[in-house]
Amino acid sequence: MKTIIANLKMNKTPSECKNYLMNLVSRFDKAENVELCVCLPFTSLAEAKYILKDSKIKLGAQNLSDYEEGGNTGEISGAMLKDAGVDYVIVGHSERRSKFKENNKLINKKIKVALKNGLGVILCVGESLVEKNTLKTLDSLREQIEEGLKGLYENELEKVILAYEPIWAIGTGKHASVREIEYAVKVIRKVIEDDFSSRAAKQIRVLYGGSVNNKNATALFKAKGMDGALIGGASLDVNMFLNLLSLL
Ligand code: PGA
C-alpha cells in the first residue's frame, strides 16, 4: 500500500477546494492500493470534513501553532484541527523553514502539540543544494530528524510519517534520482534505528517529495524502501492527479 500526500499549499479558495474534493472523492474511492491524504488550506478544512465523511481519503492540514490556545492572534491550534476533522498535519515543510524561519526547535514543539491532540504528523526533511553539493546530505537529514523528533516515545512514531524532500527539488521541476532517494531513505531509517529501534526504523513510513509528476512517477516509485510520495504542483489538477495515482 502506497501513501500519497497531496499538498495544495496556498492554492484554491473554499469554493475551488469544494469542487476539487467533490470531483476527487467520486472518482478516487475505487483506487485500492493507495492511502491518500489531501492537505488543504485552513479555510477549507471544516467543510472538507463533511465532503470526505464517507470517503477513504484522509484530511490533512499544512501547519499548526506550537501554542495550545489563547492569546496567539492568527494562529491555529492542534485542537482546532482535530475538531475540524484533520487526520494529519504537515510540519517542517522547507517553505516554512525558509520563508517563515521555522527552526528544528519550533518544529519539535509543533510535533509534540500535534501528537498531544491526536493528530498524525508528516515531518518534512531535506538538504539544500549547497548541502547536497558539499556532501552534507547525511548530516543535514540526521540533524533535522534528531532535533525534530527529540523527546518522542517510540510508540508515538506510529503517528509520524517522514517525507524526504530535497529543497532543490521542490517546485523546481528537478527531481532526485532513484539512487538519491534510496540513499536518503536508508539514512533516514538508520537515524530512526540509532535513536529509537530497528523495529521503528522498519515500520516508519518514508515518502519522497519534490517535483513528482505523471511523467516521472512510475520511475521514481521504483526506489527501494520508499513508501509513497508527497505531491505539490501535480496534485492541483484533479484529472492529472488521478492519472498519476493510476500509475502506482
Ligand atoms: P512539488 O511540491 O511536488 O510541487 O515539488 C512538493 C512539496 O510540497 O513538498
Tab-separated table of all heavy atoms in Angstrom, residues 115-166:
chain	number	residue	atom	x	y	z
A	115	LEU	N	0.792	15.710	18.210
A	115	LEU	CA	0.597	14.358	18.748
A	115	LEU	C	-0.303	14.397	19.983
A	115	LEU	O	-1.178	13.550	20.150
A	115	LEU	CB	1.944	13.718	19.080
A	115	LEU	CG	2.838	13.403	17.860
A	115	LEU	CD1	4.225	12.969	18.315
A	115	LEU	CD2	2.207	12.335	16.965
A	116	LYS	N	-0.081	15.390	20.824
A	116	LYS	CA	-0.883	15.528	22.045
A	116	LYS	C	-2.368	15.676	21.700
A	116	LYS	O	-3.238	15.245	22.443
A	116	LYS	CB	-0.388	16.764	22.811
A	116	LYS	CG	-0.936	16.884	24.187
A	116	LYS	CD	-0.273	18.027	24.934
A	116	LYS	CE	-1.088	18.365	26.181
A	116	LYS	NZ	-0.690	19.654	26.729
A	117	ASN	N	-2.642	16.283	20.568
A	117	ASN	CA	-4.025	16.493	20.152
A	117	ASN	C	-4.558	15.386	19.241
A	117	ASN	O	-5.594	15.534	18.599
A	117	ASN	CB	-4.166	17.856	19.477
A	117	ASN	CG	-4.153	18.975	20.495
A	117	ASN	OD1	-5.144	19.219	21.168
A	117	ASN	ND2	-3.005	19.620	20.662
A	118	GLY	N	-3.818	14.298	19.160
A	118	GLY	CA	-4.304	13.145	18.407
A	118	GLY	C	-4.159	13.262	16.902
A	118	GLY	O	-4.842	12.563	16.148
A	119	LEU	N	-3.286	14.149	16.455
A	119	LEU	CA	-3.076	14.300	15.005
A	119	LEU	C	-1.872	13.473	14.556
A	119	LEU	O	-0.893	13.353	15.296
A	119	LEU	CB	-2.808	15.768	14.667
A	119	LEU	CG	-3.923	16.757	14.998
A	119	LEU	CD1	-3.383	18.180	14.964
A	119	LEU	CD2	-5.077	16.605	14.007
A	120	GLY	N	-1.929	12.956	13.352
A	120	GLY	CA	-0.746	12.354	12.741
A	120	GLY	C	0.138	13.474	12.206
A	120	GLY	O	-0.348	14.577	11.919
A	121	VAL	N	1.423	13.202	12.080
A	121	VAL	CA	2.379	14.232	11.649
A	121	VAL	C	3.105	13.782	10.383
A	121	VAL	O	3.537	12.627	10.290
A	121	VAL	CB	3.432	14.479	12.762
A	121	VAL	CG1	4.580	15.340	12.264
A	121	VAL	CG2	2.776	15.120	13.980
A	122	ILE	N	3.215	14.684	9.430
A	122	ILE	CA	4.079	14.435	8.270
A	122	ILE	C	5.266	15.369	8.432
A	122	ILE	O	5.134	16.583	8.233
A	122	ILE	CB	3.331	14.730	6.951
A	122	ILE	CG1	2.067	13.874	6.846
A	122	ILE	CG2	4.245	14.485	5.745
A	122	ILE	CD1	0.967	14.509	6.012
A	123	LEU	N	6.397	14.832	8.847
A	123	LEU	CA	7.583	15.665	9.078
A	123	LEU	C	8.431	15.676	7.805
A	123	LEU	O	8.879	14.628	7.328
A	123	LEU	CB	8.411	15.104	10.248
A	123	LEU	CG	9.797	15.728	10.428
A	123	LEU	CD1	9.732	17.227	10.693
A	123	LEU	CD2	10.564	15.034	11.551
A	124	CYS	N	8.625	16.883	7.263
A	124	CYS	CA	9.439	17.025	6.050
A	124	CYS	C	10.888	17.332	6.407
A	124	CYS	O	11.141	18.210	7.238
A	124	CYS	CB	8.906	18.153	5.178
A	124	CYS	SG	7.214	17.925	4.662
A	125	VAL	N	11.785	16.623	5.779
A	125	VAL	CA	13.221	16.870	5.973
A	125	VAL	C	13.900	16.817	4.603
A	125	VAL	O	13.451	16.094	3.716
A	125	VAL	CB	13.868	15.807	6.912
A	125	VAL	CG1	13.301	15.907	8.316
A	125	VAL	CG2	13.695	14.393	6.368
A	126	GLY	N	14.975	17.585	4.454
A	126	GLY	CA	15.666	17.534	3.169
A	126	GLY	C	16.847	18.480	3.149
A	126	GLY	O	16.881	19.458	3.908
A	127	GLU	N	17.793	18.195	2.280
A	127	GLU	CA	19.006	19.019	2.221
A	127	GLU	C	18.869	20.121	1.175
A	127	GLU	O	18.118	19.987	0.205
A	127	GLU	CB	20.232	18.137	1.910
A	127	GLU	CG	20.440	17.770	0.445
A	127	GLU	CD	19.486	16.685	-0.041
A	127	GLU	OE1	18.625	16.224	0.725
A	127	GLU	OE2	19.603	16.304	-1.231
A	128	SER	N	19.639	21.190	1.365
A	128	SER	CA	19.685	22.271	0.378
A	128	SER	C	20.639	21.860	-0.747
A	128	SER	O	21.366	20.861	-0.624
A	128	SER	CB	20.193	23.553	1.033
A	128	SER	OG	21.539	23.359	1.422
A	129	LEU	N	20.666	22.673	-1.800
A	129	LEU	CA	21.565	22.368	-2.919
A	129	LEU	C	23.033	22.456	-2.472
A	129	LEU	O	23.861	21.622	-2.851
A	129	LEU	CB	21.295	23.344	-4.073
A	129	LEU	CG	22.010	23.037	-5.382
A	129	LEU	CD1	21.633	21.647	-5.889
A	129	LEU	CD2	21.682	24.093	-6.432
A	130	VAL	N	23.320	23.450	-1.637
A	130	VAL	CA	24.703	23.606	-1.146
A	130	VAL	C	25.088	22.368	-0.320
A	130	VAL	O	26.183	21.811	-0.474
A	130	VAL	CB	24.844	24.891	-0.292
A	130	VAL	CG1	26.214	24.983	0.353
A	130	VAL	CG2	24.583	26.113	-1.154
A	131	GLU	N	24.195	21.932	0.532
A	131	GLU	CA	24.486	20.737	1.348
A	131	GLU	C	24.685	19.501	0.458
A	131	GLU	O	25.577	18.695	0.690
A	131	GLU	CB	23.355	20.500	2.359
A	131	GLU	CG	23.378	21.495	3.509
A	131	GLU	CD	22.110	21.485	4.358
A	131	GLU	OE1	21.030	21.087	3.866
A	131	GLU	OE2	22.194	21.906	5.520
A	132	LYS	N	23.856	19.404	-0.559
A	132	LYS	CA	24.000	18.269	-1.486
A	132	LYS	C	25.372	18.310	-2.166
A	132	LYS	O	26.093	17.316	-2.217
A	132	LYS	CB	22.885	18.334	-2.538
A	132	LYS	CG	23.018	17.376	-3.712
A	132	LYS	CD	21.798	17.555	-4.612
A	132	LYS	CE	22.057	17.320	-6.081
A	132	LYS	NZ	22.245	15.926	-6.445
A	133	ASN	N	25.729	19.507	-2.650
A	133	ASN	CA	26.980	19.632	-3.398
A	133	ASN	C	28.223	19.502	-2.526
A	133	ASN	O	29.311	19.260	-3.022
A	133	ASN	CB	27.012	20.962	-4.158
A	133	ASN	CG	26.009	20.960	-5.299
A	133	ASN	OD1	25.573	19.887	-5.736
A	133	ASN	ND2	25.609	22.132	-5.763
A	134	THR	N	28.059	19.707	-1.220
A	134	THR	CA	29.213	19.563	-0.330
A	134	THR	C	29.122	18.264	0.483
A	134	THR	O	29.728	18.138	1.554
A	134	THR	CB	29.341	20.778	0.623
A	134	THR	OG1	28.066	20.979	1.267
A	134	THR	CG2	29.711	22.047	-0.117
A	135	LEU	N	28.311	17.350	-0.011
A	135	LEU	CA	28.167	16.013	0.584
A	135	LEU	C	27.707	16.050	2.044
A	135	LEU	O	28.158	15.267	2.875
A	135	LEU	CB	29.480	15.227	0.456
A	135	LEU	CG	30.064	15.148	-0.957
A	135	LEU	CD1	31.386	14.388	-0.956
A	135	LEU	CD2	29.096	14.488	-1.935
A	136	LYS	N	26.803	16.989	2.322
A	136	LYS	CA	26.311	17.136	3.706
A	136	LYS	C	24.888	16.591	3.866
A	136	LYS	O	24.241	16.874	4.880
A	136	LYS	CB	26.334	18.615	4.108
A	136	LYS	CG	27.713	19.248	4.140
A	136	LYS	CD	28.232	19.261	5.577
A	136	LYS	CE	29.696	19.600	5.716
A	136	LYS	NZ	30.119	20.798	5.004
A	137	THR	N	24.399	15.858	2.877
A	137	THR	CA	23.017	15.372	2.953
A	137	THR	C	22.783	14.566	4.227
A	137	THR	O	21.807	14.777	4.946
A	137	THR	CB	22.697	14.520	1.702
A	137	THR	OG1	22.807	15.369	0.563
A	137	THR	CG2	21.289	13.946	1.746
A	138	LEU	N	23.691	13.660	4.506
A	138	LEU	CA	23.532	12.793	5.681
A	138	LEU	C	23.441	13.625	6.964
A	138	LEU	O	22.518	13.439	7.773
A	138	LEU	CB	24.717	11.834	5.739
A	138	LEU	CG	24.671	10.699	6.756
A	138	LEU	CD1	25.484	9.516	6.245
A	138	LEU	CD2	25.217	11.121	8.103
A	139	ASP	N	24.382	14.556	7.137
A	139	ASP	CA	24.394	15.377	8.361
A	139	ASP	C	23.120	16.204	8.483
A	139	ASP	O	22.547	16.341	9.560
A	139	ASP	CB	25.591	16.342	8.352
A	139	ASP	CG	26.906	15.593	8.367
A	139	ASP	OD1	26.905	14.430	8.816
A	139	ASP	OD2	27.916	16.154	7.914
A	140	SER	N	22.703	16.745	7.344
A	140	SER	CA	21.530	17.610	7.355
A	140	SER	C	20.274	16.815	7.736
A	140	SER	O	19.476	17.244	8.576
A	140	SER	CB	21.382	18.240	5.969
A	140	SER	OG	20.161	18.892	5.857
A	141	LEU	N	20.114	15.633	7.152
A	141	LEU	CA	18.940	14.813	7.456
A	141	LEU	C	18.971	14.375	8.914
A	141	LEU	O	17.966	14.430	9.622
A	141	LEU	CB	18.886	13.579	6.547
A	141	LEU	CG	18.630	13.852	5.062
A	141	LEU	CD1	18.655	12.556	4.266
A	141	LEU	CD2	17.286	14.548	4.866
A	142	ARG	N	20.164	13.941	9.355
A	142	ARG	CA	20.274	13.469	10.739
A	142	ARG	C	19.871	14.574	11.728
A	142	ARG	O	19.081	14.349	12.637
A	142	ARG	CB	21.703	12.977	11.034
A	142	ARG	CG	21.873	12.449	12.458
A	142	ARG	CD	23.228	11.802	12.693
A	142	ARG	NE	23.353	10.468	12.127
A	142	ARG	CZ	22.898	9.363	12.712
A	142	ARG	NH1	22.277	9.427	13.868
A	142	ARG	NH2	23.057	8.194	12.129
A	143	GLU	N	20.385	15.765	11.499
A	143	GLU	CA	20.087	16.863	12.425
A	143	GLU	C	18.585	17.199	12.438
A	143	GLU	O	17.977	17.350	13.502
A	143	GLU	CB	20.888	18.101	12.013
A	143	GLU	CG	20.740	19.238	12.985
A	143	GLU	CD	21.603	20.437	12.596
A	143	GLU	OE1	22.708	20.242	12.065
A	143	GLU	OE2	21.149	21.565	12.834
A	144	GLN	N	17.980	17.266	11.262
A	144	GLN	CA	16.551	17.617	11.206
A	144	GLN	C	15.680	16.555	11.866
A	144	GLN	O	14.703	16.867	12.541
A	144	GLN	CB	16.120	17.817	9.750
A	144	GLN	CG	16.706	19.069	9.122
A	144	GLN	CD	16.441	19.119	7.622
A	144	GLN	OE1	15.315	19.082	7.178
A	144	GLN	NE2	17.496	19.205	6.835
A	145	ILE	N	16.042	15.300	11.670
A	145	ILE	CA	15.227	14.226	12.262
A	145	ILE	C	15.454	14.167	13.769
A	145	ILE	O	14.498	14.100	14.556
A	145	ILE	CB	15.574	12.855	11.622
A	145	ILE	CG1	15.215	12.877	10.138
A	145	ILE	CG2	14.810	11.732	12.314
A	145	ILE	CD1	15.796	11.722	9.346
A	146	GLU	N	16.721	14.203	14.185
A	146	GLU	CA	17.004	14.068	15.620
A	146	GLU	C	16.390	15.225	16.406
A	146	GLU	O	15.767	15.012	17.442
A	146	GLU	CB	18.511	13.984	15.861
A	146	GLU	CG	19.044	12.680	15.323
A	146	GLU	CD	20.429	12.309	15.823
A	146	GLU	OE1	21.205	13.218	16.148
A	146	GLU	OE2	20.707	11.090	15.862
A	147	GLU	N	16.550	16.439	15.897
A	147	GLU	CA	16.000	17.581	16.641
A	147	GLU	C	14.475	17.649	16.517
A	147	GLU	O	13.794	18.024	17.454
A	147	GLU	CB	16.661	18.877	16.183
A	147	GLU	CG	18.132	18.870	16.583
A	147	GLU	CD	18.815	20.204	16.398
A	147	GLU	OE1	18.114	21.232	16.299
A	147	GLU	OE2	20.054	20.207	16.354
A	148	GLY	N	13.976	17.266	15.373
A	148	GLY	CA	12.521	17.292	15.171
A	148	GLY	C	11.805	16.292	16.053
A	148	GLY	O	10.719	16.558	16.568
A	149	LEU	N	12.401	15.126	16.239
A	149	LEU	CA	11.723	14.052	16.988
A	149	LEU	C	12.224	13.923	18.431
A	149	LEU	O	11.876	12.972	19.112
A	149	LEU	CB	11.905	12.709	16.259
A	149	LEU	CG	11.387	12.642	14.818
A	149	LEU	CD1	11.603	11.246	14.240
A	149	LEU	CD2	9.891	12.999	14.762
A	150	LYS	N	13.004	14.897	18.865
A	150	LYS	CA	13.590	14.853	20.211
A	150	LYS	C	12.503	14.703	21.279
A	150	LYS	O	11.504	15.429	21.278
A	150	LYS	CB	14.353	16.162	20.451
A	150	LYS	CG	15.402	16.080	21.517
A	150	LYS	CD	16.033	17.456	21.665
A	150	LYS	CE	17.500	17.372	21.896
A	150	LYS	NZ	18.181	18.578	21.514
A	151	GLY	N	12.711	13.748	22.193
A	151	GLY	CA	11.786	13.616	23.329
A	151	GLY	C	10.537	12.803	23.026
A	151	GLY	O	9.684	12.634	23.894
A	152	LEU	N	10.409	12.293	21.805
A	152	LEU	CA	9.228	11.484	21.483
A	152	LEU	C	9.418	10.052	21.985
A	152	LEU	O	10.551	9.555	22.030
A	152	LEU	CB	9.009	11.439	19.966
A	152	LEU	CG	7.962	12.392	19.402
A	152	LEU	CD1	8.399	13.829	19.628
A	152	LEU	CD2	7.772	12.150	17.916
A	153	TYR	N	8.342	9.416	22.365
A	153	TYR	CA	8.389	7.998	22.715
A	153	TYR	C	8.281	7.181	21.440
A	153	TYR	O	7.640	7.604	20.472
A	153	TYR	CB	7.231	7.644	23.651
A	153	TYR	CG	7.322	8.336	24.979
A	153	TYR	CD1	6.458	9.383	25.296
A	153	TYR	CD2	8.288	7.959	25.925
A	153	TYR	CE1	6.543	10.043	26.520
A	153	TYR	CE2	8.384	8.612	27.145
A	153	TYR	CZ	7.514	9.648	27.426
A	153	TYR	OH	7.619	10.305	28.625
A	154	GLU	N	8.867	6.000	21.485
A	154	GLU	CA	8.865	5.171	20.273
A	154	GLU	C	7.446	4.896	19.761
A	154	GLU	O	7.205	4.927	18.556
A	154	GLU	CB	9.602	3.844	20.535
A	154	GLU	CG	9.683	3.015	19.276
A	154	GLU	CD	10.562	1.791	19.431
A	154	GLU	OE1	11.517	1.826	20.211
A	154	GLU	OE2	10.254	0.793	18.745
A	155	ASN	N	6.515	4.658	20.666
A	155	ASN	CA	5.162	4.335	20.186
A	155	ASN	C	4.502	5.530	19.476
A	155	ASN	O	3.581	5.358	18.684
A	155	ASN	CB	4.283	3.786	21.316
A	155	ASN	CG	4.023	4.814	22.401
A	155	ASN	OD1	4.647	5.869	22.418
A	155	ASN	ND2	3.096	4.517	23.284
A	156	GLU	N	4.996	6.737	19.737
A	156	GLU	CA	4.419	7.906	19.056
A	156	GLU	C	4.815	7.952	17.580
A	156	GLU	O	4.162	8.607	16.764
A	156	GLU	CB	4.870	9.197	19.755
A	156	GLU	CG	4.249	9.356	21.133
A	156	GLU	CD	4.725	10.618	21.839
A	156	GLU	OE1	5.955	10.789	22.025
A	156	GLU	OE2	3.876	11.436	22.213
A	157	LEU	N	5.874	7.241	17.246
A	157	LEU	CA	6.318	7.238	15.840
A	157	LEU	C	5.297	6.585	14.911
A	157	LEU	O	5.324	6.793	13.706
A	157	LEU	CB	7.651	6.498	15.691
A	157	LEU	CG	8.897	7.183	16.228
A	157	LEU	CD1	10.130	6.429	15.797
A	157	LEU	CD2	8.972	8.628	15.762
A	158	GLU	N	4.397	5.795	15.496
A	158	GLU	CA	3.344	5.192	14.664
A	158	GLU	C	2.493	6.264	14.002
A	158	GLU	O	1.853	6.023	12.979
A	158	GLU	CB	2.448	4.297	15.533
A	158	GLU	CG	3.092	2.968	15.850
A	158	GLU	CD	2.443	2.253	17.015
A	158	GLU	OE1	1.270	2.532	17.315
A	158	GLU	OE2	3.132	1.399	17.613
A	159	LYS	N	2.464	7.445	14.615
A	159	LYS	CA	1.646	8.540	14.063
A	159	LYS	C	2.491	9.513	13.224
A	159	LYS	O	2.029	10.583	12.858
A	159	LYS	CB	0.994	9.317	15.213
A	159	LYS	CG	0.097	8.489	16.114
A	159	LYS	CD	-1.332	8.445	15.652
A	159	LYS	CE	-2.054	9.745	15.868
A	159	LYS	NZ	-3.443	9.714	15.425
A	160	VAL	N	3.738	9.145	12.967
A	160	VAL	CA	4.627	10.056	12.241
A	160	VAL	C	5.009	9.460	10.880
A	160	VAL	O	5.397	8.291	10.791
A	160	VAL	CB	5.915	10.349	13.055
A	160	VAL	CG1	6.880	11.229	12.261
A	160	VAL	CG2	5.574	11.007	14.385
A	161	ILE	N	4.892	10.269	9.852
A	161	ILE	CA	5.377	9.905	8.516
A	161	ILE	C	6.541	10.834	8.219
A	161	ILE	O	6.457	12.041	8.494
A	161	ILE	CB	4.268	10.115	7.463
A	161	ILE	CG1	3.077	9.188	7.732
A	161	ILE	CG2	4.802	9.911	6.048
A	161	ILE	CD1	1.884	9.434	6.804
A	162	LEU	N	7.615	10.309	7.666
A	162	LEU	CA	8.739	11.174	7.289
A	162	LEU	C	8.720	11.382	5.776
A	162	LEU	O	8.562	10.421	5.020
A	162	LEU	CB	10.060	10.531	7.710
A	162	LEU	CG	10.360	10.637	9.211
A	162	LEU	CD1	11.531	9.763	9.592
A	162	LEU	CD2	10.654	12.080	9.587
A	163	ALA	N	8.854	12.624	5.365
A	163	ALA	CA	8.901	12.902	3.923
A	163	ALA	C	10.282	13.449	3.594
A	163	ALA	O	10.671	14.504	4.116
A	163	ALA	CB	7.814	13.902	3.546
A	164	TYR	N	11.003	12.727	2.749
A	164	TYR	CA	12.300	13.219	2.277
A	164	TYR	C	12.041	14.179	1.132
A	164	TYR	O	11.556	13.777	0.069
A	164	TYR	CB	13.186	12.057	1.804
A	164	TYR	CG	14.400	12.543	1.042
A	164	TYR	CD1	15.281	13.445	1.625
A	164	TYR	CD2	14.643	12.136	-0.266
A	164	TYR	CE1	16.373	13.942	0.924
A	164	TYR	CE2	15.746	12.606	-0.967
A	164	TYR	CZ	16.599	13.515	-0.362
A	164	TYR	OH	17.680	14.002	-1.052
A	165	GLU	N	12.344	15.447	1.377
A	165	GLU	CA	12.065	16.480	0.383
A	165	GLU	C	13.295	17.346	0.167
A	165	GLU	O	13.465	18.369	0.858
A	165	GLU	CB	10.927	17.361	0.892
A	165	GLU	CG	9.625	16.612	1.072
A	165	GLU	CD	8.467	17.462	0.636
A	165	GLU	OE1	8.346	18.599	1.113
A	165	GLU	OE2	7.711	17.013	-0.235
A	166	PRO	N	14.165	16.963	-0.760
A	166	PRO	CA	15.319	17.815	-1.029
A	166	PRO	C	14.844	19.201	-1.462
A	166	PRO	O	13.997	19.308	-2.357
A	166	PRO	CB	16.048	17.084	-2.163
A	166	PRO	CG	15.113	16.046	-2.675
A	166	PRO	CD	14.071	15.802	-1.650
